Amino acid sequence: MSGPDRESERAAGPAGAEGVPGQRRSGLRNPEAAVRGLGAGTLGLEALVLLLAIQPIRVVGGHFGGAAIAATVALAVAAVLLAGLIRRPWAWPAGTVLQGLLLLAGLLHWSLFGLGVIFALVWAYALHVRRVILG
């Protein structure tokens, strides 16, 4: 056997992943750790963007009052905490709730709604990748 047939057999193994025929392996040595890294990285990036967005929004966006700043900082802290606790089974649903809270923070300032939409889409993609890799 040579060419694509041999490569596909090597990639999937003789019986697929975990000895289950027909199941495709992800090719990752530790898929759980890779998915946790994706979730933690997404939440960490979200926290960084939220904190870095405060000053430009204040300068350019007008009414970005104390409540909006407090909500932004609280959401960033929650994102960092969830990134550190991503090993826990409840952290993924909690990350989804965090995205909803960021969307709700859009009631305080329209730019928070914009960031909420962006990060809700990124989080949805991370959940999709998690489902594909882990099943």
Side-chain angles (χ1 to χ4, degrees):
M1 222 191 296
S2 66
D5 293 332
R6 186 172 178 94
E7 288 176 16
S8 65
E9 182 180 325
R10 209 175 326 146
E18 308 281 328
V20 178
Q23 189 175 10
R24 214 174 100 206
R25 290 182 55 199
S26 66
L28 299 169
R29 288 185 185 160
N30 189 346
E32 291 85 10
V35 168
R36 283 193 311 266
L38 172 65
T42 301
L43 290 167
L45 179 64
E46 181 174 358
L48 181 67
V49 168
L50 284 171
L51 291 175
L52 290 176
I54 292 172
Q55 185 60 20
I57 293 171
R58 268 187 66 237
V59 171
V60 177
H63 281 94
F64 195 68
I69 292 172
T72 304
V73 171
L75 289 169
V77 168
V80 169
L81 290 174
L82 281 175
L85 295 170
I86 201 74
R87 287 180 183 254
R88 311 280 186 190
W90 51 264
W92 287 89
T96 303
V97 170
L98 180 72
Q99 306 315 314
L101 291 174
L102 182 54
L103 287 167
L104 281 176
L107 296 172
L108 299 171
H109 196 272
W110 63 268
S111 61
L112 293 178
F113 180 77
L115 288 174
V117 169
I118 291 168
F119 279 107
L121 292 172
V122 172
W123 188 251
Y125 179 71
L127 289 173
H128 169 74
V129 169
R130 178 179 184 240
R131 186 176 59 247
V132 167
I133 290 177
L134 299 181

